[in-house]
Amino acid sequence: MALYAGALALNKADATPTNSHREFRILVLSAGESSDGLCGELVKASVDDVGIHYTALSYTWGEPGGPAFIILNNGHRLSITRNLEAALRQFRLRTDPFRLWVDAICINQADHDEKRSQVGMMRSIYIAAHETWVWLGPSSTDSDDAMDTVQRFLHRNLSHDELSLVSREAWNGVGNLMRRTWWTRVWVIQEVLSSNQVYAWCGRKKVEFACFVKLEGIRRDFVLIHIPTQPFANILSNWSLNRQIMIRGDASLFDWMVDTHKFESTLRRDRIYALLGLSSEGSRNAIKPDYSSRTPDTLLSVQATAHFLIQQKTLLPLQSAFYRKADDLDLPSWVSDWSTSQAGYVNLVFGSAYGACGQHKTTTPRFSPGVEHPSSCPVDASLVLTGVIEGDILAALPMPEVPLYRGTDAVADLRSRILRRELTRSTCCTWKELYDLNTNDDAPDVGDSHYTEFWRTIIADRMFDGTGPPGPEYGRHFQDWQAGIDSDGATDFRNAAVSRCAGRSFIRSQGGRPGLAPRNARAGDIICLFHGGNVPFILRPGESGRYTFIGEAYVYGIMQGEHSEKLGGAKLQDFEIL
């Protein structure tokens, strides 16, 4: 779903407002020939109605692309996008009316109160539907063969030899099918996970959606380079688990936001609203959809971050703070820009992999001035955390930035990855040389503590899969990687270093400790330990004893609570972060 601002509103003569939080409209699409204009009638229904029968549509709005419309009750003319027009023409029956739920038609897009109510019902609407049809778009020159190919995979366990018999043209067609926009849109996650029976359409071809679940398993098992890794891949690879989590409703909105950070939406706020129906009751009660001017995007991001901090009772939401914020959003430094896709988002090993705070694992964040509930957070709220200063940053050396490739071309994606790998290797070699200048150590012996400090720091002391800390022998893989030697161990080290160093600076702190900090960290920033913080955080001192939040950090030697006794000592203080 996407709430396209250009859609004309239904007037009250054609569709009176829905009267309850369980009531919605269904489009009864009139029968017709392919050349006939689209027309239909809107009727009211309730998700509580027994025996209700309709098909829910999951699609992308796409660009308007010229005039397209449907004639509704009493001759009312409603503008629709070309992609929706193509879908309705494909689904229309020749002799009988067809009952559909389509967001652009069944929700009054000009009524903010109705949109708020209907978005809150989205999950129930898709659960109640007899079927959900995914519209990938009109057919193309290779889409029919691609749909036939994925259909053949569904009920067969194919060997590598059998897959090799699939032609390159067929694989390219499947790849193009998976590059369609539908796979990148955040609304579709809720739509298909909530549905009991899902089919996918492309042009005239229809397959069970389970075909794409099977396809993702094949892609992962056999490393099929013809099929791009799109945002929806993670949903497909964990399909059964995600369905169970959605049904139980035990995942918080924060969990879903982190897992879906690469998805996109037309409206910024829909990055949050589209996931509410999948989330726990606590999240749904804390954040209510609001498309009016009462809740601008900036305020929504502030209130969402505050809710995540209160709900988690840890600083995990700060650890996942996104460093790239929209230029036109004037957000407090501690607030993440949750409203935008963050395909370039990088954090340290997530979750409880570290324990810098020791036994002080939880916290109760406070907000100034005197905020008691996330929904009452003003747009300029400050965050108050309790902790200690671990030391200053003496030097910060940034990793050069490589623009992330956002397209779906496999060759261009591979070139971007190679460039990132080589730049990371050469920069880490430079970091090592500069780091060596500040020590008295000579040869890079694997058993040497200084050498070990460095290679453990540039991978944040975790292997590529997040496990660890790695054993001492892992230092040999660093040597191989530096020397350009190709080995499984060197490849794993390289991947770990690339993922941990991206968007970061190599830092040296007081006492000579090496570390990784956000790319915009600089000398004079302070390293802090906070109650509820599994990792250290970087702050920048400002005026009147207040601070700017920079981000999470890895600092060698303090990640497992080695200095956590300070969090119970006399130097404990409050930090107000603007």
Side-chain angles (χ1 to χ4, degrees):
M1 175 183 171
L3 299 176
Y4 176 61
L8 295 177
L10 304 175
N11 62 43
K12 293 184 178 180
D14 299 319
T16 56
T18 55
N19 296 320
S20 77
H21 294 296
R22 307 292 289 173
E23 191 176 70
F24 65 104
R25 302 186 190 91
I26 292 174
L27 168 67
V28 182
L29 183 63
S30 299
E33 299 292 338
S34 59
S35 59
D36 294 340
L38 294 171
C39 59
E41 181 182 4
L42 289 172
V43 297
K44 286 187 178 181
S46 169
V47 293
D48 298 320
D49 291 344
V50 178
I52 188 172
H53 194 286
Y54 63 94
T55 296
L57 183 59
S58 176
Y59 70 110
T60 62
W61 285 50
E63 299 298 326
F69 59 89
I70 182 172
I71 303 297
L72 296 175
N73 311 39
N74 301 322
H76 179 71
R77 178 173 168 142
L78 180 71
S79 293
I80 58 176
T81 63
R82 285 295 187 185
N83 190 46
L84 178 54
E85 179 195 35
L88 295 179
R89 288 188 177 280
Q90 178 60 51
F91 300 151
R92 179 174 57 183
L93 304 178
R94 295 182 64 183
T95 58
D96 298 303
F98 185 48
R99 293 165 65 89
L100 279 165
W101 186 85
V102 187
D103 63 316
I105 297 174
C106 297
I107 300 176
N108 187 345
Q109 303 296 323
D111 187 332
H112 294 310
D113 290 335
E114 178 173 308
K115 282 199 294 185
R116 179 175 63 249
S117 173
Q118 294 287 291
V119 167
M121 289 178 57
M122 287 282 291
R123 174 178 172 175
S124 297
I125 290 173
Y126 279 91
I127 289 175
H130 174 64
E131 293 178 351
T132 292
W133 286 0
V134 170
W135 175 248
L136 296 176
S139 61
S140 60
T141 55
D142 56 8
S143 64
D144 285 357
D145 288 343
M147 292 286 278
D148 290 340
T149 298
V150 298
Q151 176 70 57
R152 291 198 298 270
F153 293 156
L154 181 56
H155 300 296
R156 299 180 61 192
N157 293 319
L158 301 177
S159 66
H160 187 277
D161 290 340
E162 289 176 301
L163 288 173
S164 67
L165 297 177
V166 179
S167 69
R168 178 178 291 273
E169 291 75 16
W171 281 127
N172 287 338
V174 173
N176 290 334
L177 198 64
M178 302 305 292
R179 292 183 180 93
R180 296 207 173 205
T181 305
W182 186 90
W183 302 103
T184 68
R185 310 305 288 180
V186 68
W187 274 110
V188 305
I189 304 170
Q190 175 182 233
E191 292 167 1
V192 293
L193 285 179
S194 300
S195 302
N196 297 304
Q197 184 66 52
V198 187
Y199 292 91
W201 287 77
C202 186
R204 296 174 298 173
K205 291 287 184 176
K206 174 186 177 185
V207 301
E208 293 180 53
F209 194 77
C211 294
F212 293 101
V213 178
K214 183 68 174 289
L215 176 65
E216 175 57 22
I218 294 173
R219 186 194 70 82
R220 286 176 175 262
D221 291 344
F222 294 96
V223 193
L224 303 177
I225 64 172
H226 303 287
I227 303 176
T229 305
Q230 28 75 7
F232 211 88
N234 187 52
I235 304 296
L236 292 172
S237 63
N238 297 288
W239 181 258
S240 296
L241 176 61
N242 284 323
R243 283 269 300 160
Q244 293 171 15
I245 291 173
M246 182 277 300
I247 293 170
R248 293 196 306 264
D250 55 5
S252 69
L253 176 60
F254 173 69
D255 295 331
W256 282 110
M257 291 297 300
V258 171
D259 289 343
T260 63
H261 64 269
K262 293 184 180 181
F263 283 81
E264 299 176 345
S265 63
T266 302
L267 299 181
R268 284 173 171 164
R269 61 191 60 200
D270 281 344
R271 282 284 297 117
I272 296 175
Y273 294 161
L275 299 170
L276 281 174
L278 298 171
S279 305
S280 62
E281 184 178 359
S283 293
R284 296 197 303 272
N285 289 336
I287 298 177
K288 302 291 187 182
D290 185 357
Y291 290 93
S292 72
S293 59
R294 294 189 299 268
T295 307
D297 294 329
T298 302
L299 181 59
L300 178 60
S301 291
V302 171
Q303 293 176 349
T305 304
H307 164 62
F308 297 154
L309 287 168
I310 292 172
Q311 184 184 59
Q312 295 290 315
K313 294 185 172 60
T314 73
L315 301 187
L316 203 56
L318 296 186
Q319 187 181 338
S320 66
F322 302 144
Y323 305 123
R324 294 180 176 89
K325 301 181 181 182
D327 293 337
D328 59 340
L329 288 182
D330 186 17
L331 294 171
S333 65
W334 58 273
V335 173
S336 299
D337 184 4
W338 304 103
S339 64
T340 58
S341 168
Q342 296 289 343
Y345 150 60
V346 177
N347 61 263
L348 294 175
V349 178
F350 204 61
S352 57
Y354 305 106
C357 58
Q359 64 180 349
H360 306 278
K361 297 182 181 299
T362 61
T363 187
T364 303
R366 290 166 288 150
F367 305 93
S368 178
V371 174
E372 296 183 359
H373 190 273
S375 62
S376 60
C377 253
V379 72
D380 60 348
S382 57
L383 171 66
V384 180
L385 299 178
T386 301
V388 295
I389 297 175
E390 172 63 27
D392 294 348
I393 293 179
L394 302 181
L397 305 172
M399 174 66 65
E401 193 166 11
V402 177
L404 186 73
Y405 177 69
R406 298 290 299 274
T408 55
D409 184 276
V411 174
D413 181 57
L414 180 59
R415 288 173 179 166
S416 175
R417 291 175 184 270
I418 292 174
L419 175 60
R420 189 181 301 274
R421 292 168 185 168
E422 289 304 309
L423 189 59
T424 301
R425 188 179 71 86
S426 61
T427 302
C428 283
C429 288
T430 301
W431 285 354
K432 179 67 168 59
E433 292 172 0
L434 295 173
Y435 186 58
D436 288 343
L437 294 176
N438 293 284
T439 71
N440 296 320
D441 298 324
D442 297 320
D445 176 60
V446 172
D448 182 79
S449 61
H450 166 65
Y451 185 79
T452 300
E453 286 178 3
F454 183 82
W455 69 255
R456 288 190 182 278
T457 294
I458 63 173
I459 60 171
D461 207 17
R462 293 294 184 271
M463 292 179 281
F464 178 56
D465 63 2
T467 60
E473 70 281 355
Y474 209 66
R476 295 288 181 191
H477 303 325
F478 172 51
Q479 283 185 324
D480 290 346
W481 178 53
Q482 277 190 309
I485 297 174
D486 187 17
S487 68
D488 290 343
T491 298
D492 192 82
F493 191 98
R494 176 202 70 196
N495 291 339
V498 169
S499 66
R500 311 285 148 69
C501 293
R504 299 195 169 274
S505 287
F506 180 79
I507 62 171
R508 185 167 59 87
S509 66
Q510 280 180 318
R513 295 183 184 277
L516 292 176
R519 193 173 185 275
N520 60 334
R522 66 192 188 199
D525 291 343
I526 60 174
I527 303 168
C528 295
L529 296 177
F530 293 120
H531 286 177
N534 286 324
V535 298
F537 290 93
I538 308 299
L539 301 183
R540 182 164 298 156
E543 298 179 356
S544 303
R546 297 175 176 178
Y547 298 86
T548 297
F549 181 80
I550 304 300
E552 63 176 3
Y554 172 91
V555 180
Y556 184 86
I558 67 171
M559 300 300 294
Q560 299 302 333
E562 294 90 341
H563 289 188
S564 62
E565 74 281 353
K566 297 179 181 179
L567 290 171
K571 293 186 179 180
L572 203 63
Q573 66 180 89
D574 285 341
F575 296 80
E576 184 177 359
I577 304 171
L578 302 178

Short mmCIF file of all heavy atoms in Angstrom, two decimals, residues 79 128 206 208 225 248 311 411:
data_model
loop_
_atom_site.label_atom_id
_atom_site.label_comp_id
_atom_site.label_asym_id
_atom_site.label_seq_id
_atom_site.Cartn_x
_atom_site.Cartn_y
_atom_site.Cartn_z
N SER A 79 -9.45 9.19 -10.34
CA SER A 79 -8.15 9.00 -11.00
C SER A 79 -7.39 7.86 -10.34
O SER A 79 -7.37 7.73 -9.11
CB SER A 79 -7.32 10.28 -10.91
OG SER A 79 -7.89 11.31 -11.66
N ALA A 128 -8.86 -11.20 6.58
CA ALA A 128 -10.25 -11.57 6.25
C ALA A 128 -10.43 -11.89 4.77
O ALA A 128 -11.41 -12.53 4.40
CB ALA A 128 -11.19 -10.43 6.66
N LYS A 206 -0.11 -16.39 -13.51
CA LYS A 206 -0.41 -16.45 -12.09
C LYS A 206 0.26 -17.67 -11.48
O LYS A 206 0.15 -18.78 -12.00
CB LYS A 206 -1.93 -16.52 -11.90
CG LYS A 206 -2.40 -16.72 -10.46
CD LYS A 206 -3.91 -16.94 -10.43
CE LYS A 206 -4.42 -17.21 -9.02
NZ LYS A 206 -5.88 -17.52 -9.03
N GLU A 208 1.50 -19.52 -7.43
CA GLU A 208 1.44 -19.44 -5.97
C GLU A 208 2.64 -18.64 -5.47
O GLU A 208 3.76 -18.81 -5.98
CB GLU A 208 1.46 -20.84 -5.36
CG GLU A 208 0.24 -21.68 -5.64
CD GLU A 208 0.35 -23.04 -5.00
OE1 GLU A 208 0.61 -23.11 -3.77
OE2 GLU A 208 0.19 -24.05 -5.73
N ILE A 225 23.85 -15.99 -9.25
CA ILE A 225 24.20 -14.58 -9.44
C ILE A 225 23.22 -13.87 -10.36
O ILE A 225 23.19 -12.64 -10.41
CB ILE A 225 25.63 -14.42 -9.99
CG1 ILE A 225 25.74 -15.06 -11.40
CG2 ILE A 225 26.65 -15.02 -9.04
CD1 ILE A 225 27.06 -14.76 -12.06
N ARG A 248 1.69 -14.29 16.26
CA ARG A 248 1.80 -14.14 17.71
C ARG A 248 1.80 -12.68 18.15
O ARG A 248 1.40 -12.35 19.27
CB ARG A 248 3.08 -14.81 18.21
CG ARG A 248 3.11 -16.32 18.06
CD ARG A 248 4.23 -16.92 18.91
NE ARG A 248 5.52 -16.32 18.64
CZ ARG A 248 6.42 -16.82 17.81
NH1 ARG A 248 6.15 -17.93 17.14
NH2 ARG A 248 7.58 -16.23 17.63
N GLN A 311 10.64 1.26 25.51
CA GLN A 311 10.19 -0.12 25.39
C GLN A 311 11.34 -1.11 25.57
O GLN A 311 11.20 -2.14 26.24
CB GLN A 311 9.52 -0.34 24.02
CG GLN A 311 8.92 -1.73 23.83
CD GLN A 311 8.36 -1.91 22.44
OE1 GLN A 311 9.07 -1.79 21.45
NE2 GLN A 311 7.06 -2.19 22.36
N VAL A 411 26.28 -7.12 -12.25
CA VAL A 411 27.66 -6.78 -12.60
C VAL A 411 28.07 -5.47 -11.93
O VAL A 411 29.16 -5.36 -11.36
CB VAL A 411 27.82 -6.68 -14.13
CG1 VAL A 411 29.22 -6.19 -14.49
CG2 VAL A 411 27.55 -8.03 -14.78
#
